[in-house]
Amino acid sequence: MTRSLEEIRRFFLADRFAVERAGIRIDSVDPVDGKGSARVVCSMPVLPHHCNAAGTVMGGAIFTLADFCSAVSANAYADATVTVSLSATIHYLGICRSDCLLAKAEPIHDGRSTALISVRIEDSLGNLVALVDCTGYRKPIPANLASKIAPQS
């Protein structure tokens, strides 16, 4: 199913913690050949409430960005299922040295009942901050989401 970037952004506005509190933005979504998943880039400005006592971006803020980007990747073009998180492994590799973090999600496995999305987190200077592997489970779309997922005419 084809959706525009604006339709995808509109659907994910319902993820209020990521969008409103964390300030995450979906920058680009590119479909992967004939699959429901997509390559996705999201960004998050580094705000004071993202920082820990040491003055660096808190691991939870970095994980929120990765989890959200993975969710967009796994659900961007799905038409009969919604993918929810099963597990995630994060490797913190460096600190953010800029005022923005970028997440780049790449589908590794796009199966009937599971998805594996790899997310690379960098600061806007290109420094590697974290690598995350997110495994998701695909289940039928609940009736309360079906109308929100369908493309707008």
Side-chain angles (χ1 to χ4, degrees), residues 1-4 7-8 31 34-36 75-80 141 149-151:
M1 173 177 288
T2 303
R3 291 184 185 88
S4 71
E7 288 171 321
I8 293 167
K35 300 285 188 168
N75 290 293
Y77 299 109
D79 57 0
I141 296 173
I149 293 173

Side-chain angles (χ1 to χ4, degrees), residues 1-13:
M1 173 177 288
T2 303
R3 291 184 185 88
S4 71
L5 179 58
E6 286 310 313
E7 288 171 321
I8 293 167
R9 284 178 175 158
R10 194 169 29 255
F11 173 75
F12 280 98
L13 284 175

Side-chain angles (χ1 to χ4, degrees), residues 4-140:
S4 71
L5 179 58
E6 286 310 313
E7 288 171 321
I8 293 167
R9 284 178 175 158
R10 194 169 29 255
F11 173 75
F12 280 98
L13 284 175
D15 194 333
R16 296 180 62 195
F17 180 77
V19 175
E20 292 176 17
R21 288 298 296 151
I24 299 171
R25 176 175 167 79
I26 302 168
D27 297 319
S28 67
V29 179
D30 295 311
V32 176
D33 301 330
K35 300 285 188 168
S37 296
R39 289 179 193 89
V40 174
V41 176
C42 292
S43 58
M44 181 179 77
V46 175
L47 303 171
H49 66 268
H50 291 137
C51 295
N52 58 26
T56 61
V57 179
M58 184 175 208
I62 295 167
F63 182 80
T64 296
L65 174 59
D67 185 57
F68 180 78
C69 193
S70 173
V72 175
S73 174
N75 290 293
Y77 299 109
D79 57 0
T81 61
V82 63
T83 303
V84 296
S85 293
L86 274 177
S87 67
T89 303
I90 187 165
H91 302 278
Y92 298 101
L93 302 169
I95 63 170
C96 178
R97 298 183 186 280
S98 70
D99 61 355
C100 184
L101 284 170
L102 301 171
K104 299 174 182 178
E106 178 77 27
I108 304 300
H109 171 73
D110 192 359
R112 182 182 52 78
S113 60
T114 60
L116 175 62
I117 310 295
S118 180
V119 184
R120 181 181 178 94
I121 307 289
E122 301 175 346
D123 65 18
S124 59
L125 301 173
N127 298 308
L128 181 61
V129 175
L131 295 174
V132 187
D133 285 328
C134 300
T135 302
Y137 174 70
R138 295 212 159 110
K139 62 182 197 167

